[in-house]
Amino acid sequence: MALCTPRKCIQVILFISFVSFITVNLHFFSPVRPLPASVEKSDVDFQAITVSKPKVAPISLVHKTLNRQLPNVKPPEDKTKRPNIDSKKQAAASADRKTQSSVEKRFSQFNESLEFIISDINEKQIIRNRNKFPPIKESDTYDHVLAIQVHNRDNYLNYLIKSLRSTKYINSSLLVVSHDFYSQSVFDIIDSIDFMPVIQIFYPKAMQLYKDKYPGPDPQDCPRNIPKHQAMKSGCINADHPDKYGHYREAAYAQTKLHWFWKLNHIFEKLTIMKNFTGYVTLIEEDHYVTPDMLHVFHEMVAAKSRLCAQCRVLTLGNYEKKPSYSFSNEVVIAADFISSKHNMAMSINKETYEHIKRHNQEFCNYDDYNWDWSLQYIGKENIVGRLPTMIVKTPRVYHIGDCGVHHKGKKCNPEEKVKPITDLIQANQGKLYPTNLKVGRPTSTTSIAYKKFKANGGWGDKRDHDLCASFML
């Protein structure tokens, strides 16, 4: 026998809904009590309260937060039936001041903790998994280094680490992870690496530490699109230094180039493990994906360099081929001048090339382009004999999977959609991986055209960026 007929059940549900509605609305229209005078600013849970410029969080929300954190503290009874409007505004203003003060205090504490974390990471230079994968005894270093520049895109980073795990010879390389943003999810991914030695470094001038001052976005900086004559009248602090297109500095774009140049110097000159290092450092990013034979092909390129391109200063393992083929170009490498838009993915340099870049640090740091690769291309074009000759694989061993980031503002940020066709391609060409007889192919006709059209992108007119960039090489 049923507990109730459908009609009876509907009546019961309607009655319960009506009672719930009355209860909620009685609570909603109940008088708002002022904040207790005994509550300190540290008692306010700033994460639960949204602070906007002139407004404050509802007093009821503050009460709810206080009651959750301090069960023994109860708001004083309001004996008046109609609270005074002025006292209500004063209580709200007081809550706003206390909340804002708490936010600033918590952020200051976070900053101090983060500064300590960064200093500790960079100073101690801890190599995880070192006992499991020790360096070469004779030189106390490794024969190859992979350096990842990481921001906060953990979804992409996760796929990169998975691809590295499947790479042959990976445990003989040292992985350097260079951070510019503290994210627990990112650090958890790095902590999960158990297949190779890992050392983490942290860019010490990260925007996360400088949220309201240079090198972060200073409130007194000039807006990006303000005309220079208006900027001069307004008194914004970088009014004298727009870029070549009349635009002013954007901190998020400037940070990438600054981080890249700092990372290069820190790896080659500050890491103890690199003291006797004579090999190559391969520069990859968090939104790359590598093939299982990446290191095999890299070692083949190094071995064939004297035969195929003795003058090459850069070895590049990735490219932007739209339809890569492992059937017709699996063993082919191209020798060409460095083109930023073609040869910047997974480029490998040794200490000699680093020293070459270092000697031209003023040109790199003063060149009006916020892209590190375009600035590197400028050095090659203007200052180095033979530009920056580069050996590039025709069929990529490193792929770019990033749809979102500095240059990619796509609405869909799903790395799986990019990874699947790559893994399918690799799976279908298992028998064509690990080539052993590299040969030089002919460069594409677009190489010379790209060089002729080369010009700066701007975004790098601020003298503060020039000086900070150059200071990394001092």
Side-chain angles (χ1 to χ4, degrees):
M1 181 177 178
L3 292 176
C4 64
T5 64
R7 183 172 180 175
K8 285 287 184 182
C9 288
I10 292 172
Q11 289 175 343
V12 170
I13 293 170
L14 289 174
F15 177 74
I16 293 172
S17 301
F18 175 74
V19 171
S20 300
F21 174 79
I22 294 298
T23 304
V24 169
N25 281 277
L26 284 174
H27 176 73
F28 179 81
F29 290 108
S30 62
V32 178
R33 300 181 179 90
L35 276 172
S38 60
V39 176
E40 297 293 334
K41 62 183 179 181
S42 59
D43 295 330
V44 182
D45 183 357
F46 71 96
Q47 291 181 337
I49 303 172
T50 302
V51 182
S52 55
K53 291 182 180 177
K55 298 181 180 181
V56 299
I59 301 299
S60 59
L61 179 57
V62 178
H63 281 170
K64 186 184 292 185
T65 304
L66 291 172
N67 285 330
R68 185 175 69 247
Q69 286 202 336
L70 302 173
N72 296 326
V73 178
K74 296 182 179 180
E77 292 186 9
D78 187 356
K79 297 181 180 179
T80 59
K81 293 183 180 180
R82 295 183 179 180
N84 184 280
I85 295 177
D86 291 336
S87 64
K88 182 179 177 181
K89 288 182 177 179
Q90 290 174 3
S94 175
D96 186 34
R97 287 192 297 271
K98 291 178 179 179
T99 302
Q100 185 62 36
S101 177
S102 180
V103 170
E104 292 171 355
K105 180 179 179 181
R106 299 288 178 90
F107 176 70
S108 176
Q109 291 172 345
F110 171 77
N111 249 27
E112 291 175 3
S113 299
L114 185 56
E115 285 178 359
F116 174 80
I117 291 171
I118 292 174
S119 176
D120 194 57
I121 287 174
N122 290 339
E123 182 180 342
K124 289 185 176 178
Q125 301 185 16
I126 296 173
I127 301 177
R128 296 176 55 251
N129 304 324
R130 178 172 181 149
N131 292 334
K132 188 176 180 181
F133 309 107
I136 301 168
K137 289 184 179 180
E138 293 77 10
S139 59
D140 194 32
T141 189
Y142 294 87
D143 62 358
H144 178 246
V145 170
L146 278 166
I148 311 176
Q149 183 161 323
V150 176
H151 185 52
N152 64 352
R153 292 179 291 171
D154 53 355
N155 51 347
Y156 290 104
L157 178 64
N158 199 39
Y159 278 100
L160 170 61
I161 300 305
K162 285 181 179 179
S163 69
L164 288 174
R165 184 182 291 275
S166 302
T167 303
K168 192 173 183 180
Y169 310 125
I170 194 66
N171 57 15
S172 63
S173 294
L174 172 66
L175 180 64
V176 178
V177 183
S178 186
H179 301 270
D180 60 26
F181 188 89
Y182 180 81
S183 164
Q184 190 57 52
S185 59
V186 168
F187 271 58
D188 288 343
I189 292 173
I190 304 305
D191 286 344
S192 72
I193 298 173
D194 58 2
F195 53 86
M196 68 186 304
V198 183
I199 183 171
Q200 291 172 272
I201 60 177
F202 207 117
Y203 174 54
K205 298 295 182 181
M207 283 175 54
Q208 196 177 21
L209 279 174
Y210 298 85
K211 290 193 175 181
D212 57 357
K213 60 182 178 180
Y214 180 84
D218 192 310
Q220 297 183 51
D221 282 345
C222 301
R224 178 186 184 272
N225 296 320
I226 188 174
K228 185 175 180 179
H229 68 278
Q230 292 183 16
M232 298 296 287
K233 288 182 180 179
S234 72
C236 50
I237 57 180
N238 54 334
D240 287 328
H241 303 291
D243 68 9
K244 63 183 298 182
Y245 302 106
H247 298 141
Y248 287 95
R249 178 181 193 268
E250 293 179 273
Y253 289 89
Q255 175 171 271
T256 303
K257 179 175 175 178
L258 289 167
H259 180 184
W260 188 89
F261 209 46
W262 173 86
K263 171 191 67 183
L264 210 63
N265 171 264
H266 196 82
I267 290 173
F268 277 106
E269 300 203 26
K270 299 297 192 296
L271 294 183
T272 305
I273 193 68
M274 299 290 288
K275 183 178 179 181
N276 300 316
F277 183 76
T278 58
Y280 282 82
V281 176
T282 300
L283 305 170
I284 57 179
E285 298 180 13
E286 62 186 10
D287 59 353
H288 289 173
Y289 189 90
V290 310
T291 64
D293 68 339
M294 175 193 69
L295 289 180
H296 169 85
V297 172
F298 168 75
H299 291 309
E300 289 291 320
M301 292 174 74
V302 172
K305 179 178 176 295
S306 60
R307 175 172 58 89
L308 301 179
C309 186
Q311 75 278 15
C312 283
R313 298 184 183 276
V314 179
L315 308 179
T316 297
L317 289 160
N319 63 47
Y320 299 93
E321 288 282 343
K322 293 182 179 179
K323 295 181 179 180
S325 171
Y326 286 87
S327 299
F328 302 104
S329 57
N330 187 39
E331 299 178 342
V332 176
V333 294
I334 305 296
D337 293 327
F338 179 82
I339 302 295
S340 61
S341 58
K342 294 177 176 292
H343 309 146
N344 64 351
M345 185 167 30
M347 54 179 287
S348 304
I349 64 173
N350 57 16
K351 186 69 176 289
E352 181 183 352
T353 303
Y354 163 73
E355 292 291 346
H356 230 93
I357 296 171
K358 181 181 177 181
R359 282 196 291 273
H360 296 285
N361 72 84
Q362 288 295 332
E363 291 91 337
F364 180 94
C365 292
N366 293 342
Y367 183 61
D368 191 4
D369 197 310
Y370 68 93
N371 298 286
W372 63 263
D373 48 348
W374 284 73
S375 303
L376 196 62
Q377 178 178 268
Y378 171 74
I379 290 178
K381 179 182 178 183
E382 299 296 330
N383 300 301
I384 301 177
V385 176
R387 299 172 178 172
L388 264 181
T390 305
M391 185 192 295
I392 314 104
V393 291
K394 179 66 176 173
T395 303
R397 262 58 190 192
V398 178
Y399 291 84
H400 180 252
I401 62 172
D403 284 328
C404 300
V406 174
H407 299 101
H408 303 272
K409 302 297 182 183
K411 294 181 180 179
K412 294 183 178 179
C413 303
N414 185 3
E416 187 176 357
E417 293 180 359
K418 286 280 189 176
V419 170
K420 190 177 186 309
I422 297 171
T423 55
D424 289 346
L425 180 65
I426 294 170
Q427 186 63 35
N429 290 277
Q430 285 291 322
K432 299 181 178 67
L433 301 179
Y434 305 98
T436 56
N437 186 26
L438 299 183
K439 56 187 178 183
V440 176
R442 180 175 296 180
T444 58
S445 59
T446 56
T447 299
S448 58
I449 295 173
Y451 226 94
K452 289 178 181 177
K453 291 183 177 179
F454 165 67
K455 64 177 182 178
N457 292 294
W460 194 265
D462 200 306
K463 192 176 184 303
R464 294 172 298 176
D465 288 330
H466 302 172
D467 295 341
L468 179 59
C469 175
S471 73
F472 299 146
M473 294 294 169
L474 298 178

